[in-house]
Amino acid sequence: QVHLQESGPRLVKPSETLSLTCTISGGSLNNYYWSWIRQSPGGRLEWIGYVYSSGSTRYNPALESRVTISVDTARNQIYLTLRSVAATDSAVYFCARDRRRFTAYFDSWGQGTLVAVSS
Amino acid sequence: DIQMTQSPSSLSASIGDRVSISCRASQTIGGYVNWYQQQTGKAPKLLIYAASTLQSGVPSRFSGSGSGTDYTLTISSLQPEDFATYFCQQSHTFPDTFGQGTRVDIK
């Protein structure tokens, strides 16, 4: 059973950069897609983007100019960087395994980490 | 982006009730819809993918149906652990988008 765990700062100042790590255990990162998804305080879920184990990425156009997702297969970790954050970026951030072949669904999720953007 | 609209936004039901939650897409999505359950303070859990395929380990009281723009999640006999918020998600058209959620609570 694969296990995902998000980690990173809980508080980020406006205009600064949010950086999160997702550590994957109990299974291989290889040959899978891995997504970041966030949930606003109001409950809305928003897909941020994915990385494949090879390093290829695709991002939500709404965030593409500010987002980078990367992978380190040796460490079994994926990373999220979100630049120039604002209060509207305050959310619970989840990493998830992304079964993106003929269809796409998220079958394993981390517990999520709450990030607040505030000075 | 494709808009996914769930109805109702919330509902109250009793143990043993049959419950249906609808999800309407702003354009046809060809069965590329998934359903998730989220308990308070937890991550979403995959229930159904590709409109009607039950995820491994999910009880058979959950089922999904639909086509075109209209999809339904049905719980045949509501159990205490089913009180939660349910989300639909489309993966037909980039980017993936989610419905706003339907909260199911105890009547």
Side-chain angles (χ1 to χ4, degrees), chain A residues 39 44 47 59 100 102-106 109-110, chain B residues 32 34 36 38 43-44 46 49 91 94 96 100:
Chain A
Q39 187 167 33
R44 281 280 190 174
W47 175 74
Y59 304 126
R100 193 168 295 266
F102 303 105
T103 182
Y105 52 89
F106 310 108
W109 296 62
Chain B
Y32 288 80
N34 312 308
Y36 301 86
Q38 187 176 33
L46 178 68
Y49 63 92
S91 60
F94 178 81
D96 298 356
Q100 82 279 16

mmCIF file with all atom_site columns, all heavy atoms in Angstrom, chain A residues 39 44 47 59 100 102-106 109-110, chain B residues 32 34 36 38 43-44 46 49 91 94 96 100:
data_model
loop_
_atom_site.group_PDB
_atom_site.id
_atom_site.type_symbol
_atom_site.label_atom_id
_atom_site.label_alt_id
_atom_site.label_comp_id
_atom_site.label_asym_id
_atom_site.label_entity_id
_atom_site.label_seq_id
_atom_site.pdbx_PDB_ins_code
_atom_site.Cartn_x
_atom_site.Cartn_y
_atom_site.Cartn_z
_atom_site.occupancy
_atom_site.B_iso_or_equiv
_atom_site.pdbx_formal_charge
_atom_site.auth_seq_id
_atom_site.auth_comp_id
_atom_site.auth_asym_id
_atom_site.auth_atom_id
_atom_site.pdbx_PDB_model_num
ATOM 1   N N   . GLN A 1 39  ? -7.009  22.400 -1.812  1.00 0.00 ? 39  GLN A N   1
ATOM 2   C CA  . GLN A 1 39  ? -8.398  22.582 -1.395  1.00 0.00 ? 39  GLN A CA  1
ATOM 3   C C   . GLN A 1 39  ? -8.496  23.883 -0.619  1.00 0.00 ? 39  GLN A C   1
ATOM 4   O O   . GLN A 1 39  ? -7.851  24.053 0.423   1.00 0.00 ? 39  GLN A O   1
ATOM 5   C CB  . GLN A 1 39  ? -8.879  21.411 -0.541  1.00 0.00 ? 39  GLN A CB  1
ATOM 6   C CG  . GLN A 1 39  ? -10.364 21.451 -0.220  1.00 0.00 ? 39  GLN A CG  1
ATOM 7   C CD  . GLN A 1 39  ? -10.861 20.132 0.352   1.00 0.00 ? 39  GLN A CD  1
ATOM 8   O OE1 . GLN A 1 39  ? -10.142 19.429 1.052   1.00 0.00 ? 39  GLN A OE1 1
ATOM 9   N NE2 . GLN A 1 39  ? -12.107 19.782 0.032   1.00 0.00 ? 39  GLN A NE2 1
ATOM 10  N N   . ARG A 1 44  ? -13.354 23.924 -2.109  1.00 0.00 ? 44  ARG A N   1
ATOM 11  C CA  . ARG A 1 44  ? -13.147 23.673 -3.538  1.00 0.00 ? 44  ARG A CA  1
ATOM 12  C C   . ARG A 1 44  ? -11.807 22.982 -3.785  1.00 0.00 ? 44  ARG A C   1
ATOM 13  O O   . ARG A 1 44  ? -10.781 23.402 -3.244  1.00 0.00 ? 44  ARG A O   1
ATOM 14  C CB  . ARG A 1 44  ? -13.166 24.983 -4.312  1.00 0.00 ? 44  ARG A CB  1
ATOM 15  C CG  . ARG A 1 44  ? -14.544 25.519 -4.582  1.00 0.00 ? 44  ARG A CG  1
ATOM 16  C CD  . ARG A 1 44  ? -15.172 24.803 -5.758  1.00 0.00 ? 44  ARG A CD  1
ATOM 17  N NE  . ARG A 1 44  ? -16.403 25.452 -6.202  1.00 0.00 ? 44  ARG A NE  1
ATOM 18  C CZ  . ARG A 1 44  ? -17.086 25.109 -7.264  1.00 0.00 ? 44  ARG A CZ  1
ATOM 19  N NH1 . ARG A 1 44  ? -16.656 24.114 -8.035  1.00 0.00 ? 44  ARG A NH1 1
ATOM 20  N NH2 . ARG A 1 44  ? -18.197 25.739 -7.587  1.00 0.00 ? 44  ARG A NH2 1
ATOM 21  N N   . TRP A 1 47  ? -6.936  21.114 -9.201  1.00 0.00 ? 47  TRP A N   1
ATOM 22  C CA  . TRP A 1 47  ? -5.764  20.374 -9.649  1.00 0.00 ? 47  TRP A CA  1
ATOM 23  C C   . TRP A 1 47  ? -4.680  21.359 -10.063 1.00 0.00 ? 47  TRP A C   1
ATOM 24  O O   . TRP A 1 47  ? -4.933  22.288 -10.847 1.00 0.00 ? 47  TRP A O   1
ATOM 25  C CB  . TRP A 1 47  ? -6.136  19.481 -10.826 1.00 0.00 ? 47  TRP A CB  1
ATOM 26  C CG  . TRP A 1 47  ? -4.994  18.758 -11.439 1.00 0.00 ? 47  TRP A CG  1
ATOM 27  C CD1 . TRP A 1 47  ? -4.339  17.691 -10.932 1.00 0.00 ? 47  TRP A CD1 1
ATOM 28  C CD2 . TRP A 1 47  ? -4.359  19.080 -12.681 1.00 0.00 ? 47  TRP A CD2 1
ATOM 29  N NE1 . TRP A 1 47  ? -3.330  17.312 -11.785 1.00 0.00 ? 47  TRP A NE1 1
ATOM 30  C CE2 . TRP A 1 47  ? -3.319  18.142 -12.855 1.00 0.00 ? 47  TRP A CE2 1
ATOM 31  C CE3 . TRP A 1 47  ? -4.550  20.060 -13.647 1.00 0.00 ? 47  TRP A CE3 1
ATOM 32  C CZ2 . TRP A 1 47  ? -2.486  18.150 -13.972 1.00 0.00 ? 47  TRP A CZ2 1
ATOM 33  C CZ3 . TRP A 1 47  ? -3.733  20.071 -14.763 1.00 0.00 ? 47  TRP A CZ3 1
ATOM 34  C CH2 . TRP A 1 47  ? -2.710  19.131 -14.914 1.00 0.00 ? 47  TRP A CH2 1
ATOM 35  N N   . TYR A 1 59  ? 0.838   21.507 -16.259 1.00 0.00 ? 59  TYR A N   1
ATOM 36  C CA  . TYR A 1 59  ? 0.290   22.343 -15.213 1.00 0.00 ? 59  TYR A CA  1
ATOM 37  C C   . TYR A 1 59  ? -1.078  22.900 -15.587 1.00 0.00 ? 59  TYR A C   1
ATOM 38  O O   . TYR A 1 59  ? -1.382  23.105 -16.764 1.00 0.00 ? 59  TYR A O   1
ATOM 39  C CB  . TYR A 1 59  ? 1.232   23.524 -14.935 1.00 0.00 ? 59  TYR A CB  1
ATOM 40  C CG  . TYR A 1 59  ? 2.642   23.119 -14.570 1.00 0.00 ? 59  TYR A CG  1
ATOM 41  C CD1 . TYR A 1 59  ? 3.738   23.623 -15.273 1.00 0.00 ? 59  TYR A CD1 1
ATOM 42  C CD2 . TYR A 1 59  ? 2.888   22.230 -13.521 1.00 0.00 ? 59  TYR A CD2 1
ATOM 43  C CE1 . TYR A 1 59  ? 5.036   23.261 -14.940 1.00 0.00 ? 59  TYR A CE1 1
ATOM 44  C CE2 . TYR A 1 59  ? 4.184   21.859 -13.187 1.00 0.00 ? 59  TYR A CE2 1
ATOM 45  C CZ  . TYR A 1 59  ? 5.249   22.382 -13.897 1.00 0.00 ? 59  TYR A CZ  1
ATOM 46  O OH  . TYR A 1 59  ? 6.529   22.008 -13.574 1.00 0.00 ? 59  TYR A OH  1
ATOM 47  N N   . ARG A 1 100 ? -3.025  8.205  -14.794 1.00 0.00 ? 100 ARG A N   1
ATOM 48  C CA  . ARG A 1 100 ? -3.318  8.954  -16.023 1.00 0.00 ? 100 ARG A CA  1
ATOM 49  C C   . ARG A 1 100 ? -2.860  8.146  -17.233 1.00 0.00 ? 100 ARG A C   1
ATOM 50  O O   . ARG A 1 100 ? -1.737  8.261  -17.687 1.00 0.00 ? 100 ARG A O   1
ATOM 51  C CB  . ARG A 1 100 ? -2.607  10.303 -15.971 1.00 0.00 ? 100 ARG A CB  1
ATOM 52  C CG  . ARG A 1 100 ? -3.043  11.302 -17.016 1.00 0.00 ? 100 ARG A CG  1
ATOM 53  C CD  . ARG A 1 100 ? -2.476  12.680 -16.670 1.00 0.00 ? 100 ARG A CD  1
ATOM 54  N NE  . ARG A 1 100 ? -3.019  13.190 -15.441 1.00 0.00 ? 100 ARG A NE  1
ATOM 55  C CZ  . ARG A 1 100 ? -4.075  13.987 -15.339 1.00 0.00 ? 100 ARG A CZ  1
ATOM 56  N NH1 . ARG A 1 100 ? -4.699  14.361 -16.447 1.00 0.00 ? 100 ARG A NH1 1
ATOM 57  N NH2 . ARG A 1 100 ? -4.497  14.414 -14.177 1.00 0.00 ? 100 ARG A NH2 1
ATOM 58  N N   . PHE A 1 102 ? -5.567  6.006  -20.052 1.00 0.00 ? 102 PHE A N   1
ATOM 59  C CA  . PHE A 1 102 ? -6.708  6.285  -20.933 1.00 0.00 ? 102 PHE A CA  1
ATOM 60  C C   . PHE A 1 102 ? -7.708  7.193  -20.243 1.00 0.00 ? 102 PHE A C   1
ATOM 61  O O   . PHE A 1 102 ? -8.484  7.881  -20.877 1.00 0.00 ? 102 PHE A O   1
ATOM 62  C CB  . PHE A 1 102 ? -7.370  4.981  -21.358 1.00 0.00 ? 102 PHE A CB  1
ATOM 63  C CG  . PHE A 1 102 ? -6.400  4.055  -22.034 1.00 0.00 ? 102 PHE A CG  1
ATOM 64  C CD1 . PHE A 1 102 ? -5.896  2.946  -21.377 1.00 0.00 ? 102 PHE A CD1 1
ATOM 65  C CD2 . PHE A 1 102 ? -5.974  4.321  -23.327 1.00 0.00 ? 102 PHE A CD2 1
ATOM 66  C CE1 . PHE A 1 102 ? -4.988  2.105  -22.008 1.00 0.00 ? 102 PHE A CE1 1
ATOM 67  C CE2 . PHE A 1 102 ? -5.064  3.478  -23.962 1.00 0.00 ? 102 PHE A CE2 1
ATOM 68  C CZ  . PHE A 1 102 ? -4.571  2.371  -23.296 1.00 0.00 ? 102 PHE A CZ  1
ATOM 69  N N   . THR A 1 103 ? -7.691  7.156  -18.929 1.00 0.00 ? 103 THR A N   1
ATOM 70  C CA  . THR A 1 103 ? -8.469  8.100  -18.146 1.00 0.00 ? 103 THR A CA  1
ATOM 71  C C   . THR A 1 103 ? -7.542  8.614  -17.051 1.00 0.00 ? 103 THR A C   1
ATOM 72  O O   . THR A 1 103 ? -6.355  8.319  -17.068 1.00 0.00 ? 103 THR A O   1
ATOM 73  C CB  . THR A 1 103 ? -9.735  7.446  -17.557 1.00 0.00 ? 103 THR A CB  1
ATOM 74  O OG1 . THR A 1 103 ? -10.489 8.418  -16.849 1.00 0.00 ? 103 THR A OG1 1
ATOM 75  C CG2 . THR A 1 103 ? -9.380  6.306  -16.620 1.00 0.00 ? 103 THR A CG2 1
ATOM 76  N N   . ALA A 1 104 ? -8.033  9.382  -16.134 1.00 0.00 ? 104 ALA A N   1
ATOM 77  C CA  . ALA A 1 104 ? -7.165  9.911  -15.081 1.00 0.00 ? 104 ALA A CA  1
ATOM 78  C C   . ALA A 1 104 ? -7.953  10.011 -13.795 1.00 0.00 ? 104 ALA A C   1
ATOM 79  O O   . ALA A 1 104 ? -9.032  10.608 -13.779 1.00 0.00 ? 104 ALA A O   1
ATOM 80  C CB  . ALA A 1 104 ? -6.612  11.270 -15.474 1.00 0.00 ? 104 ALA A CB  1
ATOM 81  N N   . TYR A 1 105 ? -7.411  9.421  -12.770 1.00 0.00 ? 105 TYR A N   1
ATOM 82  C CA  . TYR A 1 105 ? -8.036  9.531  -11.460 1.00 0.00 ? 105 TYR A CA  1
ATOM 83  C C   . TYR A 1 105 ? -6.936  9.441  -10.414 1.00 0.00 ? 105 TYR A C   1
ATOM 84  O O   . TYR A 1 105 ? -5.830  8.996  -10.693 1.00 0.00 ? 105 TYR A O   1
ATOM 85  C CB  . TYR A 1 105 ? -9.103  8.448  -11.243 1.00 0.00 ? 105 TYR A CB  1
ATOM 86  C CG  . TYR A 1 105 ? -8.646  7.039  -11.516 1.00 0.00 ? 105 TYR A CG  1
ATOM 87  C CD1 . TYR A 1 105 ? -8.069  6.270  -10.509 1.00 0.00 ? 105 TYR A CD1 1
ATOM 88  C CD2 . TYR A 1 105 ? -8.797  6.474  -12.779 1.00 0.00 ? 105 TYR A CD2 1
ATOM 89  C CE1 . TYR A 1 105 ? -7.652  4.974  -10.759 1.00 0.00 ? 105 TYR A CE1 1
ATOM 90  C CE2 . TYR A 1 105 ? -8.375  5.182  -13.041 1.00 0.00 ? 105 TYR A CE2 1
ATOM 91  C CZ  . TYR A 1 105 ? -7.804  4.432  -12.027 1.00 0.00 ? 105 TYR A CZ  1
ATOM 92  O OH  . TYR A 1 105 ? -7.394  3.153  -12.284 1.00 0.00 ? 105 TYR A OH  1
ATOM 93  N N   . PHE A 1 106 ? -7.274  9.867  -9.194  1.00 0.00 ? 106 PHE A N   1
ATOM 94  C CA  . PHE A 1 106 ? -6.293  9.950  -8.121  1.00 0.00 ? 106 PHE A CA  1
ATOM 95  C C   . PHE A 1 106 ? -6.614  8.874  -7.090  1.00 0.00 ? 106 PHE A C   1
ATOM 96  O O   . PHE A 1 106 ? -7.601  8.985  -6.371  1.00 0.00 ? 106 PHE A O   1
ATOM 97  C CB  . PHE A 1 106 ? -6.321  11.349 -7.499  1.00 0.00 ? 106 PHE A CB  1
ATOM 98  C CG  . PHE A 1 106 ? -6.236  12.443 -8.540  1.00 0.00 ? 106 PHE A CG  1
ATOM 99  C CD1 . PHE A 1 106 ? -7.334  13.224 -8.837  1.00 0.00 ? 106 PHE A CD1 1
ATOM 100 C CD2 . PHE A 1 106 ? -5.054  12.668 -9.228  1.00 0.00 ? 106 PHE A CD2 1
ATOM 101 C CE1 . PHE A 1 106 ? -7.260  14.226 -9.813  1.00 0.00 ? 106 PHE A CE1 1
ATOM 102 C CE2 . PHE A 1 106 ? -4.974  13.655 -10.201 1.00 0.00 ? 106 PHE A CE2 1
ATOM 103 C CZ  . PHE A 1 106 ? -6.071  14.425 -10.494 1.00 0.00 ? 106 PHE A CZ  1
ATOM 104 N N   . TRP A 1 109 ? -3.801  9.316  -1.839  1.00 0.00 ? 109 TRP A N   1
ATOM 105 C CA  . TRP A 1 109 ? -3.587  10.715 -1.465  1.00 0.00 ? 109 TRP A CA  1
ATOM 106 C C   . TRP A 1 109 ? -2.766  10.794 -0.187  1.00 0.00 ? 109 TRP A C   1
ATOM 107 O O   . TRP A 1 109 ? -2.871  9.930  0.681   1.00 0.00 ? 109 TRP A O   1
ATOM 108 C CB  . TRP A 1 109 ? -4.925  11.401 -1.188  1.00 0.00 ? 109 TRP A CB  1
ATOM 109 C CG  . TRP A 1 109 ? -5.859  11.512 -2.350  1.00 0.00 ? 109 TRP A CG  1
ATOM 110 C CD1 . TRP A 1 109 ? -6.427  10.490 -3.072  1.00 0.00 ? 109 TRP A CD1 1
ATOM 111 C CD2 . TRP A 1 109 ? -6.394  12.716 -2.907  1.00 0.00 ? 109 TRP A CD2 1
ATOM 112 N NE1 . TRP A 1 109 ? -7.267  10.984 -4.041  1.00 0.00 ? 109 TRP A NE1 1
ATOM 113 C CE2 . TRP A 1 109 ? -7.273  12.352 -3.955  1.00 0.00 ? 109 TRP A CE2 1
ATOM 114 C CE3 . TRP A 1 109 ? -6.226  14.079 -2.624  1.00 0.00 ? 109 TRP A CE3 1
ATOM 115 C CZ2 . TRP A 1 109 ? -7.961  13.296 -4.721  1.00 0.00 ? 109 TRP A CZ2 1
ATOM 116 C CZ3 . TRP A 1 109 ? -6.911  15.020 -3.368  1.00 0.00 ? 109 TRP A CZ3 1
ATOM 117 C CH2 . TRP A 1 109 ? -7.772  14.631 -4.417  1.00 0.00 ? 109 TRP A CH2 1
ATOM 118 N N   . GLY A 1 110 ? -1.991  11.861 -0.072  1.00 0.00 ? 110 GLY A N   1
ATOM 119 C CA  . GLY A 1 110 ? -1.408  12.190 1.214   1.00 0.00 ? 110 GLY A CA  1
ATOM 120 C C   . GLY A 1 110 ? -2.473  12.778 2.121   1.00 0.00 ? 110 GLY A C   1
ATOM 121 O O   . GLY A 1 110 ? -3.590  13.061 1.694   1.00 0.00 ? 110 GLY A O   1
ATOM 122 N N   . TYR B 2 32  ? -15.678 10.177 -18.589 1.00 0.00 ? 32  TYR B N   1
ATOM 123 C CA  . TYR B 2 32  ? -14.434 10.432 -17.865 1.00 0.00 ? 32  TYR B CA  1
ATOM 124 C C   . TYR B 2 32  ? -14.736 11.190 -16.570 1.00 0.00 ? 32  TYR B C   1
ATOM 125 O O   . TYR B 2 32  ? -14.342 12.337 -16.383 1.00 0.00 ? 32  TYR B O   1
ATOM 126 C CB  . TYR B 2 32  ? -13.457 11.218 -18.726 1.00 0.00 ? 32  TYR B CB  1
ATOM 127 C CG  . TYR B 2 32  ? -12.854 10.403 -19.850 1.00 0.00 ? 32  TYR B CG  1
ATOM 128 C CD1 . TYR B 2 32  ? -13.570 10.171 -21.025 1.00 0.00 ? 32  TYR B CD1 1
ATOM 129 C CD2 . TYR B 2 32  ? -11.571 9.878  -19.744 1.00 0.00 ? 32  TYR B CD2 1
ATOM 130 C CE1 . TYR B 2 32  ? -13.029 9.419  -22.051 1.00 0.00 ? 32  TYR B CE1 1
ATOM 131 C CE2 . TYR B 2 32  ? -11.024 9.134  -20.774 1.00 0.00 ? 32  TYR B CE2 1
ATOM 132 C CZ  . TYR B 2 32  ? -11.761 8.903  -21.921 1.00 0.00 ? 32  TYR B CZ  1
ATOM 133 O OH  . TYR B 2 32  ? -11.218 8.170  -22.934 1.00 0.00 ? 32  TYR B OH  1
ATOM 134 N N   . ASN B 2 34  ? -14.984 10.747 -12.187 1.00 0.00 ? 34  ASN B N   1
ATOM 135 C CA  . ASN B 2 34  ? -14.602 9.989  -11.007 1.00 0.00 ? 34  ASN B CA  1
ATOM 136 C C   . ASN B 2 34  ? -15.303 10.589 -9.801  1.00 0.00 ? 34  ASN B C   1
ATOM 137 O O   . ASN B 2 34  ? -15.652 11.770 -9.795  1.00 0.00 ? 34  ASN B O   1
ATOM 138 C CB  . ASN B 2 34  ? -13.088 10.056 -10.809 1.00 0.00 ? 34  ASN B CB  1
ATOM 139 C CG  . ASN B 2 34  ? -12.341 9.760  -12.089 1.00 0.00 ? 34  ASN B CG  1
ATOM 140 O OD1 . ASN B 2 34  ? -12.577 8.744  -12.746 1.00 0.00 ? 34  ASN B OD1 1
ATOM 141 N ND2 . ASN B 2 34  ? -11.441 10.658 -12.477 1.00 0.00 ? 34  ASN B ND2 1
ATOM 142 N N   . TYR B 2 36  ? -15.260 10.878 -5.412  1.00 0.00 ? 36  TYR B N   1
ATOM 143 C CA  . TYR B 2 36  ? -14.447 10.785 -4.204  1.00 0.00 ? 36  TYR B CA  1
ATOM 144 C C   . TYR B 2 36  ? -15.317 11.061 -2.985  1.00 0.00 ? 36  TYR B C   1
ATOM 145 O O   . TYR B 2 36  ? -16.274 11.837 -3.047  1.00 0.00 ? 36  TYR B O   1
ATOM 146 C CB  . TYR B 2 36  ? -13.311 11.812 -4.241  1.00 0.00 ? 36  TYR B CB  1
ATOM 147 C CG  . TYR B 2 36  ? -12.381 11.654 -5.417  1.00 0.00 ? 36  TYR B CG  1
ATOM 148 C CD1 . TYR B 2 36  ? -12.675 12.251 -6.633  1.00 0.00 ? 36  TYR B CD1 1
ATOM 149 C CD2 . TYR B 2 36  ? -11.215 10.898 -5.318  1.00 0.00 ? 36  TYR B CD2 1
ATOM 150 C CE1 . TYR B 2 36  ? -11.841 12.096 -7.731  1.00 0.00 ? 36  TYR B CE1 1
ATOM 151 C CE2 . TYR B 2 36  ? -10.371 10.739 -6.407  1.00 0.00 ? 36  TYR B CE2 1
ATOM 152 C CZ  . TYR B 2 36  ? -10.691 11.342 -7.609  1.00 0.00 ? 36  TYR B CZ  1
ATOM 153 O OH  . TYR B 2 36  ? -9.868  11.186 -8.690  1.00 0.00 ? 36  TYR B OH  1
ATOM 154 N N   . GLN B 2 38  ? -14.901 12.414 1.014   1.00 0.00 ? 38  GLN B N   1
ATOM 155 C CA  . GLN B 2 38  ? -13.980 13.075 1.936   1.00 0.00 ? 38  GLN B CA  1
ATOM 156 C C   . GLN B 2 38  ? -14.619 13.199 3.309   1.00 0.00 ? 38  GLN B C   1
ATOM 157 O O   . GLN B 2 38  ? -15.627 13.886 3.479   1.00 0.00 ? 38  GLN B O   1
ATOM 158 C CB  . GLN B 2 38  ? -13.570 14.450 1.413   1.00 0.00 ? 38  GLN B CB  1
ATOM 159 C CG  . GLN B 2 38  ? -12.483 15.104 2.259   1.00 0.00 ? 38  GLN B CG  1
ATOM 160 C CD  . GLN B 2 38  ? -12.004 16.435 1.703   1.00 0.00 ? 38  GLN B CD  1
ATOM 161 O OE1 . GLN B 2 38  ? -12.766 17.172 1.105   1.00 0.00 ? 38  GLN B OE1 1
ATOM 162 N NE2 . GLN B 2 38  ? -10.725 16.732 1.905   1.00 0.00 ? 38  GLN B NE2 1
ATOM 163 N N   . ALA B 2 43  ? -8.104  13.294 3.679   1.00 0.00 ? 43  ALA B N   1
ATOM 164 C CA  . ALA B 2 43  ? -7.951  13.436 2.235   1.00 0.00 ? 43  ALA B CA  1
ATOM 165 C C   . ALA B 2 43  ? -9.127  12.794 1.520   1.00 0.00 ? 43  ALA B C   1
ATOM 166 O O   . ALA B 2 43  ? -9.771  11.877 2.060   1.00 0.00 ? 43  ALA B O   1
ATOM 167 C CB  . ALA B 2 43  ? -6.658  12.764 1.783   1.00 0.00 ? 43  ALA B CB  1
ATOM 168 N N   . PRO B 2 44  ? -9.435  13.229 0.319   1.00 0.00 ? 44  PRO B N   1
ATOM 169 C CA  . PRO B 2 44  ? -10.439 12.516 -0.486  1.00 0.00 ? 44  PRO B CA  1
ATOM 170 C C   . PRO B 2 44  ? -10.010 11.079 -0.734  1.00 0.00 ? 44  PRO B C   1
ATOM 171 O O   . PRO B 2 44  ? -8.823  10.762 -0.796  1.00 0.00 ? 44  PRO B O   1
ATOM 172 C CB  . PRO B 2 44  ? -10.472 13.320 -1.791  1.00 0.00 ? 44  PRO B CB  1
ATOM 173 C CG  . PRO B 2 44  ? -10.034 14.695 -1.409  1.00 0.00 ? 44  PRO B CG  1
ATOM 174 C CD  . PRO B 2 44  ? -8.985  14.461 -0.348  1.00 0.00 ? 44  PRO B CD  1
ATOM 175 N N   . LEU B 2 46  ? -10.865 7.788  -3.335  1.00 0.00 ? 46  LEU B N   1
ATOM 176 C CA  . LEU B 2 46  ? -11.473 7.403  -4.601  1.00 0.00 ? 46  LEU B CA  1
ATOM 177 C C   . LEU B 2 46  ? -12.517 6.310  -4.383  1.00 0.00 ? 46  LEU B C   1
ATOM 178 O O   . LEU B 2 46  ? -12.229 5.279  -3.763  1.00 0.00 ? 46  LEU B O   1
ATOM 179 C CB  . LEU B 2 46  ? -10.400 6.909  -5.565  1.00 0.00 ? 46  LEU B CB  1
ATOM 180 C CG  . LEU B 2 46  ? -10.880 6.408  -6.929  1.00 0.00 ? 46  LEU B CG  1
ATOM 181 C CD1 . LEU B 2 46  ? -11.433 7.563  -7.771  1.00 0.00 ? 46  LEU B CD1 1
ATOM 182 C CD2 . LEU B 2 46  ? -9.741  5.700  -7.673  1.00 0.00 ? 46  LEU B CD2 1
ATOM 183 N N   . TYR B 2 49  ? -14.285 5.235  -10.584 1.00 0.00 ? 49  TYR B N   1
ATOM 184 C CA  . TYR B 2 49  ? -13.599 5.895  -11.685 1.00 0.00 ? 49  TYR B CA  1
ATOM 185 C C   . TYR B 2 49  ? -14.219 5.477  -13.018 1.00 0.00 ? 49  TYR B C   1
ATOM 186 O O   . TYR B 2 49  ? -14.925 4.460  -13.089 1.00 0.00 ? 49  TYR B O   1
ATOM 187 C CB  . TYR B 2 49  ? -12.089 5.648  -11.649 1.00 0.00 ? 49  TYR B CB  1
ATOM 188 C CG  . TYR B 2 49  ? -11.660 4.207  -11.806 1.00 0.00 ? 49  TYR B CG  1
ATOM 189 C CD1 . TYR B 2 49  ? -11.366 3.672  -13.057 1.00 0.00 ? 49  TYR B CD1 1
ATOM 190 C CD2 . TYR B 2 49  ? -11.517 3.388  -10.685 1.00 0.00 ? 49  TYR B CD2 1
ATOM 191 C CE1 . TYR B 2 49  ? -10.960 2.364  -13.191 1.00 0.00 ? 49  TYR B CE1 1
ATOM 192 C CE2 . TYR B 2 49  ? -11.101 2.081  -10.807 1.00 0.00 ? 49  TYR B CE2 1
ATOM 193 C CZ  . TYR B 2 49  ? -10.814 1.576  -12.065 1.00 0.00 ? 49  TYR B CZ  1
ATOM 194 O OH  . TYR B 2 49  ? -10.411 0.270  -12.197 1.00 0.00 ? 49  TYR B OH  1
ATOM 195 N N   . SER B 2 91  ? -11.957 14.150 -16.132 1.00 0.00 ? 91  SER B N   1
ATOM 196 C CA  . SER B 2 91  ? -10.607 14.068 -16.696 1.00 0.00 ? 91  SER B CA  1
ATOM 197 C C   . SER B 2 91  ? -10.675 13.969 -18.218 1.00 0.00 ? 91  SER B C   1
ATOM 198 O O   . SER B 2 91  ? -9.722  13.505 -18.856 1.00 0.00 ? 91  SER B O   1
ATOM 199 C CB  . SER B 2 91  ? -9.859  12.876 -16.112 1.00 0.00 ? 91  SER B CB  1
ATOM 200 O OG  . SER B 2 91  ? -10.550 11.675 -16.406 1.00 0.00 ? 91  SER B OG  1
ATOM 201 N N   . PHE B 2 94  ? -8.500  18.731 -20.515 1.00 0.00 ? 94  PHE B N   1
ATOM 202 C CA  . PHE B 2 94  ? -7.502  19.431 -19.706 1.00 0.00 ? 94  PHE B CA  1
ATOM 203 C C   . PHE B 2 94  ? -7.930  20.864 -19.441 1.00 0.00 ? 94  PHE B C   1
ATOM 204 O O   . PHE B 2 94  ? -8.405  21.537 -20.361 1.00 0.00 ? 94  PHE B O   1
ATOM 205 C CB  . PHE B 2 94  ? -6.173  19.423 -20.459 1.00 0.00 ? 94  PHE B CB  1
ATOM 206 C CG  . PHE B 2 94  ? -5.070  20.151 -19.778 1.00 0.00 ? 94  PHE B CG  1
ATOM 207 C CD1 . PHE B 2 94  ? -4.355  19.547 -18.760 1.00 0.00 ? 94  PHE B CD1 1
ATOM 208 C CD2 . PHE B 2 94  ? -4.730  21.454 -20.154 1.00 0.00 ? 94  PHE B CD2 1
ATOM 209 C CE1 . PHE B 2 94  ? -3.327  20.211 -18.134 1.00 0.00 ? 94  PHE B CE1 1
ATOM 210 C CE2 . PHE B 2 94  ? -3.717  22.126 -19.528 1.00 0.00 ? 94  PHE B CE2 1
ATOM 211 C CZ  . PHE B 2 94  ? -3.009  21.503 -18.512 1.00 0.00 ? 94  PHE B CZ  1
ATOM 212 N N   . ASP B 2 96  ? -8.062  18.923 -15.518 1.00 0.00 ? 96  ASP B N   1
ATOM 213 C CA  . ASP B 2 96  ? -9.023  18.241 -14.663 1.00 0.00 ? 96  ASP B CA  1
ATOM 214 C C   . ASP B 2 96  ? -9.727  19.257 -13.776 1.00 0.00 ? 96  ASP B C   1
ATOM 215 O O   . ASP B 2 96  ? -9.089  20.186 -13.260 1.00 0.00 ? 96  ASP B O   1
ATOM 216 C CB  . ASP B 2 96  ? -8.316  17.248 -13.740 1.00 0.00 ? 96  ASP B CB  1
ATOM 217 C CG  . ASP B 2 96  ? -7.603  16.139 -14.488 1.00 0.00 ? 96  ASP B CG  1
ATOM 218 O OD1 . ASP B 2 96  ? -7.709  16.070 -15.714 1.00 0.00 ? 96  ASP B OD1 1
ATOM 219 O OD2 . ASP B 2 96  ? -6.921  15.338 -13.812 1.00 0.00 ? 96  ASP B OD2 1
ATOM 220 N N   . GLN B 2 100 ? -18.220 21.088 -6.812  1.00 0.00 ? 100 GLN B N   1
ATOM 221 C CA  . GLN B 2 100 ? -18.071 21.871 -5.582  1.00 0.00 ? 100 GLN B CA  1
ATOM 222 C C   . GLN B 2 100 ? -18.323 21.040 -4.326  1.00 0.00 ? 100 GLN B C   1
ATOM 223 O O   . GLN B 2 100 ? -18.093 21.516 -3.215  1.00 0.00 ? 100 GLN B O   1
ATOM 224 C CB  . GLN B 2 100 ? -19.025 23.079 -5.607  1.00 0.00 ? 100 GLN B CB  1
ATOM 225 C CG  . GLN B 2 100 ? -20.464 22.778 -5.196  1.00 0.00 ? 100 GLN B CG  1
ATOM 226 C CD  . GLN B 2 100 ? -21.311 22.164 -6.298  1.00 0.00 ? 100 GLN B CD  1
ATOM 227 O OE1 . GLN B 2 100 ? -20.813 21.671 -7.314  1.00 0.00 ? 100 GLN B OE1 1
ATOM 228 N NE2 . GLN B 2 100 ? -22.619 22.182 -6.085  1.00 0.00 ? 100 GLN B NE2 1
#
